[in-house]
Amino acid sequence: MRKLLVVFALLCVVSTSVPAASPIGYTLTDLGEMFNSGTTFGAKDINESGQVALNLDGIAYIWDDGNLSPVGGLLNNNTSFAINDDGDLTWTYNLRAQYYNGVSQTQLPTLGNDDGLTSGWDINIHDHIVGTSRVSTINATRGYVWDGTTMTDLGSLPGEPNGDSRGLGINDAGVIVGEGGDTGVPVRWVGGMIEELPRAPLDGLVRGAAEDINEAGQIAGTLLNSSVSGGMAAKWEADGTLEQLGRLAGHGYSRAEAINELGDVVGWSTPV
C-alpha cells in the first residue's frame, strides 16, 4: 500500500476522517538541497516509518529521518518506486519490474515467458508485488501479482479473455486494486476474483482506475468520462460505497493517488 505524507502546492488533500471545519495539520519538509539543481526528480512513495523513496535522474534514493542516501547495489535509469514498511522496494528498470530486499536486486519474470515489458507498482509487507506485464501471445497488458516465486496473471473482466488489466495497489491482506477491461474501469481483486467497483454513469463517469488501498479496505482512485477528458477523484469504502471527492473551484479534472490508514486521500486537481 502506497502512503503519502508531504503535499505540495497544486496538490490537494481530501480528509474524510475529521470534520470539514477542522484544520488539517501538515509539515512541509525539504528533502535535500540536491533537488534544487534543476535535475529530474520525484518523491515516489513513503512507508509508515517515514522512509521516502525518491528518484533523481534515474538513480534510486531513500530519505530517512533527514538522511538522503542512494540505494546501494541498484543500477541507474529507475522509475515508478514503491516502498513497504520494511524498506523493501519495487520499481521499473529498463522496462522490467524489479525487487530489492535491502541487499540485492531481483528482476521479476514476465507473464507468458516472453520478453514482454513489465512494471512494478506496489509492494506490501509480505513483499508481494503488483504491476503490469505485456503478454505478446494475446496482445494485451495484464495485471499481475508476484509472491516472491510465482508471477500470477490477474486476468481481466468476464467476457474479455484477452482483455487488459493493471494491478496498481495491494494491501497487507492481499487485496489488489487497479484497472480492468479494454475500456478501463476501476476494479478490485479479492482472493483472485475480479470485481468492478461502482462508477457514476449519471454523471458521465463511466471509466476509471482504483489507485491505492489501505488496510481497512478503503480505496482511492479516479473516475473518468468516456473520452477521459474529464475526471473526478473518488473513494470507495470496503463495502463498495462510492464517494465522489470533487474538484478545486473552476477545475474540470481531479485525481486521487493514495489513501492512508485514516481514510485521508491525496491527489491533484487541474483546470484541463
Side-chain angles (χ1 to χ4, degrees):
M1 180 190 66
R2 290 168 292 141
K3 308 172 188 72
L4 304 180
L5 284 182
V6 183
V7 182
F8 298 92
L10 301 184
L11 298 185
C12 57
V13 171
V14 177
S15 174
T16 56
S17 61
V18 296
S22 299
I24 301 174
Y26 292 95
T27 299
L28 188 63
T29 302
D30 186 348
L31 299 185
E33 293 181 359
M34 63 189 305
F35 293 145
N36 297 325
S37 61
T39 54
T40 300
F41 70 93
K44 301 294 187 179
D45 196 14
I46 186 168
N47 64 16
E48 294 290 355
S49 300
Q51 294 176 307
V52 181
L54 304 107
N55 179 15
L56 173 64
D57 284 341
I59 301 174
Y61 285 81
I62 296 295
W63 184 92
D64 188 357
D65 195 23
N67 297 311
L68 184 66
S69 305
V71 180
L74 298 193
L75 299 172
N76 296 346
N77 195 26
N78 301 297
T79 60
S80 181
F81 282 95
I83 186 170
N84 70 10
D85 291 340
D86 287 336
D88 300 334
L89 302 168
T90 187
W91 72 99
T92 304
Y93 167 73
N94 277 354
L95 305 179
R96 292 293 296 271
Q98 310 288 324
Y99 162 65
Y100 181 71
N101 63 3
V103 178
S104 61
Q105 175 176 339
T106 300
Q107 179 168 284
L108 273 62
T110 64
L111 294 174
N113 296 316
D114 59 19
D115 292 327
L117 310 179
T118 56
S119 61
W121 280 101
D122 201 13
I123 181 171
N124 69 10
I125 195 63
H126 308 294
D127 289 348
H128 294 176
I129 294 171
V130 295
T132 60
S133 178
R134 185 67 183 170
V135 184
S136 59
T137 53
I138 60 174
N139 192 31
T141 297
R142 297 295 273 266
Y144 71 81
V145 57
W146 181 73
D147 64 3
T149 303
T150 303
M151 178 86 84
T152 300
D153 188 341
L154 293 175
S156 191
L157 295 175
E160 298 186 23
N162 296 331
D164 292 330
S165 63
R166 294 193 298 156
L168 299 177
I170 182 171
N171 66 12
D172 292 345
V175 180
I176 300 168
V177 296
E179 180 182 353
D182 292 335
T183 57
V185 299
V187 297
R188 169 175 57 187
W189 287 268
V190 181
M193 301 298 294
I194 189 172
E195 58 184 27
E196 294 186 42
L197 293 169
R199 302 186 295 283
L202 294 180
D203 296 321
L205 301 172
V206 295
R207 303 176 63 175
E211 300 279 353
D212 193 23
I213 181 170
N214 66 16
E215 300 311 324
Q218 296 172 304
I219 299 166
T222 304
L223 296 173
L224 301 168
N225 61 20
S226 59
S227 64
V228 303
S229 59
M232 174 75 74
K235 175 183 175 181
W236 292 267
E237 297 297 332
D239 64 2
T241 301
L242 169 65
E243 179 183 0
Q244 296 186 50
L245 300 181
R247 310 177 182 98
L248 295 181
H251 287 192
Y253 191 108
S254 64
R255 186 179 186 93
E257 298 279 6
I259 186 169
N260 68 10
E261 299 309 325
L262 297 176
D264 299 330
V265 175
V266 66
W268 50 270
S269 180
T270 178
V272 179

